[in-house]
Amino acid sequence: MRVFITGGTGLIGSAVVAELLSAGHSVTALARSDASAAQAKAAGAEVLSGALADLAVLRAGAERADGVIHLAFSNDMSSPDALAQGVAEEAAALATLGDTLVGTDRPLVMVAGTPYLPGRTSTEDDALPTQGPVAGRSRSVTSALALASEGVRSSAVRLPRTVHNQGRGGFAGLLTDIARRTGVAGYPSDGAQRWPAVHARDAAVLFRLALEQAPAASSWHAVADEGDAVRDIAAVIGRRLGLPVESVPQENFGPLGPIFAADQPASSAHTRATLGWQPTHPSLLADLEHIEA
């Protein structure tokens, strides 16, 4: 299958590209810089130059592909305005990709997040959130899933709050960055809230399976660890960096503070049973042992 991918040179995307190529697919990666283009070419992918905001480029990439995987996001969370701009940019990109694939029965695999359900573990049957700082991303994915009625085999791979590799990535990676900057491995509230996690290489396998097998309008959970307590995550970070570990105000985490403070375990039982997905790589707490001071 000829696959067009956005975000193919990030921590998750690079693992997805490697997984696709190893399975015999060909890959064209969107690249917004010379460095990204060089990385994609070195991995064995072809390159389409452009950014997520270049809608004509996205349309051209999707038109030439047998399937599309969308992973790109600005990841600028420096302020509420910056985050909102990234959400709007992604919405336009997904709308363009989906519109291009209408009537083709080709797959469009999108990234989403596991939903937060107060008081219980979320499953693949639960709806994506419609409130919160990143709810706009959920609305974009939901709209694209609805294109199943217009001949798009759209599906969503919902990622947990931490997708990791060699101790880097996700919310745990953000905690590490904050700890380095502030000198404290902090966590909001009492730290008992749980975050699900998955290794990037395990997540990559699920993206491939969704591309190849997922029926239209389906959602899947790339969850290996259902939920690690945030204080346990912070404890490993603090030990690896030689920093104190303690509770800090939720406001210290900026626009993501409410999400950081939420208990949000997630299950992947349906995904494993239906697609035969089975994580094999290290857990989050084990992988965080790769952090270097």
Side-chain angles (χ1 to χ4, degrees):
M1 189 182 296
R2 296 168 300 173
V3 183
F4 175 52
I5 185 170
T6 72
T9 57
L11 181 140
I12 303 167
S14 58
V16 173
V17 168
E19 175 67 23
L20 293 173
L21 292 171
S22 69
H25 300 291
S26 63
V27 178
T28 297
L30 182 72
R32 63 180 180 180
S33 68
D34 291 342
S36 293
Q39 181 180 340
K41 289 178 181 177
E46 296 182 10
V47 169
L48 183 61
S49 296
L52 195 61
D54 297 329
L55 302 184
V57 174
L58 296 184
R59 185 176 294 276
E63 286 174 343
R64 291 187 285 231
D66 300 314
V68 176
I69 295 179
H70 166 69
L71 290 167
F73 187 66
S74 70
N75 284 320
D76 184 351
M77 301 177 185
S78 58
S79 70
D81 286 345
L83 182 57
Q85 182 176 343
V87 170
E89 179 182 74
E90 181 183 50
L94 260 182
T96 298
L97 292 170
D99 180 68
T100 304
L101 296 177
V102 164
T104 67
D105 292 321
R106 296 173 185 169
L108 169 61
V109 184
M110 302 162 285
V111 64
T114 54
Y116 158 59
L117 278 299
R120 69 172 176 86
T121 299
S122 69
T123 73
E124 295 88 342
D125 290 332
D126 291 313
L128 293 173
T130 57
Q131 301 294 324
V134 293
R137 301 192 73 187
S138 299
R139 290 191 289 271
S140 297
V141 169
T142 300
S143 294
L145 289 174
L147 293 175
S149 64
E150 298 182 49
V152 181
R153 186 162 63 84
S154 51
S155 64
V157 172
R158 297 174 175 181
L159 296 174
R161 296 302 176 261
T162 293
V163 182
H164 56 91
N165 191 358
Q166 295 293 302
R168 298 180 297 109
F171 279 12
L174 291 177
L175 284 185
T176 303
D177 294 340
I178 293 169
R180 285 196 170 104
R181 187 172 68 249
T182 64
V184 174
Y187 53 85
S189 188
D190 63 0
Q193 66 271 30
R194 294 161 293 173
W195 291 351
V198 69
H199 195 284
R201 291 171 66 183
D202 286 322
V205 173
L206 184 53
F207 275 99
R208 176 181 59 78
L209 291 173
L211 180 82
E212 296 170 346
Q213 303 178 25
S218 60
S219 295
W220 311 95
H221 277 194
V223 173
D225 309 328
E226 286 199 0
D228 292 309
V230 178
R231 64 188 174 209
D232 292 339
I233 296 170
V236 179
I237 293 169
R239 176 167 50 77
R240 296 296 301 172
L241 297 179
L243 297 174
V245 181
E246 58 189 57
S247 176
V248 299
Q250 176 178 311
E251 293 72 23
N252 286 24
F253 301 101
L256 292 177
I259 301 175
F260 274 25
D263 183 49
Q264 46 197 290
S267 168
S268 59
H270 172 70
T271 297
R272 298 184 194 217
T274 306
L275 294 184
W277 178 67
Q278 184 60 49
T280 60
H281 290 87
S283 68
L284 172 60
L285 296 182
D287 201 27
L288 288 175
E289 297 294 343
H290 289 96
I291 294 174
E292 297 181 357

